[in-house]
Amino acid sequence: MKQPLLPRIMFGAFVALVLIYLILPLLIIVPMSFSGTRFLTFPPPSFSLRWYAEYFGNPNWMQATRMSLMIGVLTVLIATPLGVAAAYAISNGTGRLMRVLHLMLMLPLIVPIIIIAIGIFFVYARVGLISTLTGLVLANVMLGLPFVITSVVAGLQSFDPTQEMVARSLGMNRLRAFLAVTLPQIKASVFAGGIFAFISAIDETIIALFISGGQYQPLTKRMFTALRDEIDPTIASISTLLTAASFLLVLLAMSGQKRSAP
């Protein structure tokens, strides 16, 4: 039965308004990143690549960028295998314990990030992990695990577990059967989860404000500090690059999942 025209128009208008609301900041930040003036102005009176050159030519910005990339890579290397193992256990478990474990691992997405940051700060202050690379990586692993688990659990739900059971019946142990049969068929979900964990790590700001310092300051912390001291279009250029990188990584994850779809 064909739906009335008015509700469809209203729904389409609502979706359009939401998209405009989400995209509007980009429509302001991106042009300002190409501004030729000394301060953030919109619309920019002239256009230039000056602030992109300032970013790539500043050793302090480059040090913070390298630190963010290192944190992101280490987070993926740790969170991905841990998340895959947890997702496998959750998918194959049937008791209340697995449901409780699943909920606990999802808490970083549920609990307000400021509460998590305060808790991590007090724990790290006691064990001496403030302003350390180890502390930053462990905190981001905790934040990245839910993304890996969610993606891999979804992949396992579309996988036929009898294939793994057949491999085990032919003499493979559980680990070897998982690596040889299951993992190749859910690799797109694993890849997508790792990408989202990486994006989470390089974009994280609140926890970094509490526990980073000295030479171990990620790019987002450096940006926040620069906003307090002096506002210039360098911040806009970095924001544009981070947004573009995140967007491309999401497209990469989506394309990987589409290629693996039956």
Side-chain angles (χ1 to χ4, degrees), residues 135-152:
L136 286 167
V137 171
L138 290 178
N140 281 285
V141 166
M142 181 188 66
L143 297 178
L145 271 174
F147 297 102
V148 180
I149 292 172
T150 300
S151 179
V152 176

Side-chain angles (χ1 to χ4, degrees), residues 79-80 83-88 91 145-159 178 182-183 186-194 257:
T80 301
V84 170
Y88 183 80
S91 296
L145 271 174
F147 297 102
V148 180
I149 292 172
T150 300
S151 179
V152 176
V153 166
L156 287 170
Q157 288 177 348
S158 62
F159 169 72
F178 173 80
T182 306
L183 185 59
I186 63 168
K187 60 183 179 181
S189 298
V190 175
F191 180 66
Q257 288 187 319

Side-chain angles (χ1 to χ4, degrees), residues 103-177:
L103 177 62
M104 291 180 63
L105 291 172
M106 292 296 108
L107 284 178
L109 293 181
I110 302 171
V111 179
I113 190 65
I114 186 66
I115 304 298
I116 296 175
I118 294 172
I120 291 176
F121 173 77
F122 281 106
V123 172
Y124 279 15
R126 288 180 176 272
V127 298
L129 288 177
I130 299 292
S131 300
T132 64
L133 178 61
T134 301
L136 286 167
V137 171
L138 290 178
N140 281 285
V141 166
M142 181 188 66
L143 297 178
L145 271 174
F147 297 102
V148 180
I149 292 172
T150 300
S151 179
V152 176
V153 166
L156 287 170
Q157 288 177 348
S158 62
F159 169 72
D160 184 5
T162 57
Q163 298 180 49
E164 183 179 319
M165 294 175 62
V166 169
R168 291 168 59 188
S169 69
L170 294 175
M172 288 187 177
N173 58 40
R174 190 160 197 160
L175 176 60
R176 187 180 174 189

Side-chain angles (χ1 to χ4, degrees), residues 16 24 31 126 150 166 184 195 214 225 236 255-256:
L24 188 59
R126 288 180 176 272
T150 300
V166 169
I195 285 181
T225 305
S255 65

Side-chain angles (χ1 to χ4, degrees), residues 191-192 195-196 199 244-259:
F191 180 66
I195 285 181
F196 284 114
I199 293 173
S246 299
F247 182 72
L248 290 174
L249 287 173
V250 170
L251 287 180
L252 185 62
M254 292 175 62
S255 65
Q257 288 187 319
K258 286 182 178 180
R259 284 197 299 267

